[in-house]
Amino acid sequence: MGSAAGLALLLSSCGFKLRGEQNYAFDTITVLAAQAGAVAADLRRALGARVREALVASGTAPAGALPSASHVVMEIINEQREKTVVGVNAAGQVREFQLRIRVRFKLRNAAGKDLIADTEILQQRDISFNESAVLAKEAEEGLLYRDMQSDIVQQLMRRLSAVTSIT
């Protein structure tokens, strides 16, 4: 018990603080995606109650559904997964792949003013390949893609919290 109290005292004296909940300059957000992508779905889930569905283009939105002054729109322009060969053996057999996820996005306020210009986030991981363990490598590839996707969502959340004014 004494070592735990000592560790807590040490961490508090160095300025360590749990992350806590993010503060945003907006009250509500709409997440639009040009294609059905996993990053947009994870971002909606991470933002929770702040997310509002996209309004109907014809303008027949229900009463009270119009965006407020503290509403922003995150547009996921493109989400692309790539897998490239980066290593082969002397016989020309694949030994290593590089997995990538590229996400292009922008953020604008309700009036259409860009708050974050068109930006790309890239995550990449290397994975070895062994033809005798194909199923295991496929599972590892799926885990790496999910890990990269989670990292991108966390980066998007930090960028959203860095926006200080939406006017």
Side-chain angles (χ1 to χ4, degrees):
M1 221 31 177
S3 63
L7 182 61
L9 181 63
L10 179 65
L11 287 175
S12 65
S13 66
C14 74
F16 176 80
K17 179 181 158 190
L18 291 174
R19 187 175 299 162
E21 190 172 328
Q22 298 277 2
N23 292 322
Y24 300 105
F26 56 88
D27 291 330
T28 58
I29 184 170
T30 298
V31 179
L32 301 176
Q35 59 202 28
V39 170
D42 281 358
L43 183 61
R44 285 185 193 103
R45 193 174 309 115
L47 288 166
R50 292 180 186 275
V51 176
R52 297 292 176 259
E53 293 300 318
L55 299 176
V56 179
S58 66
T60 59
L66 295 175
S68 67
S70 63
H71 180 81
V72 295
V73 177
M74 166 72 78
E75 184 177 350
I76 306 293
I77 300 165
N78 188 20
E79 178 183 335
Q80 182 178 359
R81 292 178 180 226
E82 303 169 355
K83 180 178 179 180
T84 58
V85 175
V86 293
V88 294
N89 65 12
Q93 295 173 323
V94 174
R95 286 292 167 221
E96 191 171 0
F97 288 107
Q98 185 172 72
L99 308 175
R100 292 187 203 110
I101 298 180
R102 295 177 188 272
V103 174
R104 281 186 47 229
F105 72 96
K106 65 181 174 180
L107 181 73
R108 63 181 188 270
N109 65 10
K113 176 186 170 199
D114 280 349
L115 302 173
I116 299 176
D118 190 339
T119 306
E120 181 177 89
I121 296 176
L122 170 67
Q123 284 282 315
Q124 61 188 30
R125 303 281 192 280
D126 291 337
I127 181 173
S128 63
F129 181 75
N130 184 347
E131 59 275 345
S132 65
V134 174
L135 291 177
K137 288 300 178 178
E138 284 179 5
E140 182 181 0
E141 181 179 323
L143 288 172
L144 287 172
Y145 273 126
R146 280 192 291 279
D147 181 52
M148 290 186 288
Q149 183 177 308
S150 176
D151 285 351
I152 288 173
V153 169
Q154 291 303 314
Q155 285 186 41
L156 289 170
M157 298 285 286
R158 285 191 296 275
R159 289 178 191 218
L160 286 172
S161 68
V163 174
T164 56
S165 173
I166 63 170
T167 56

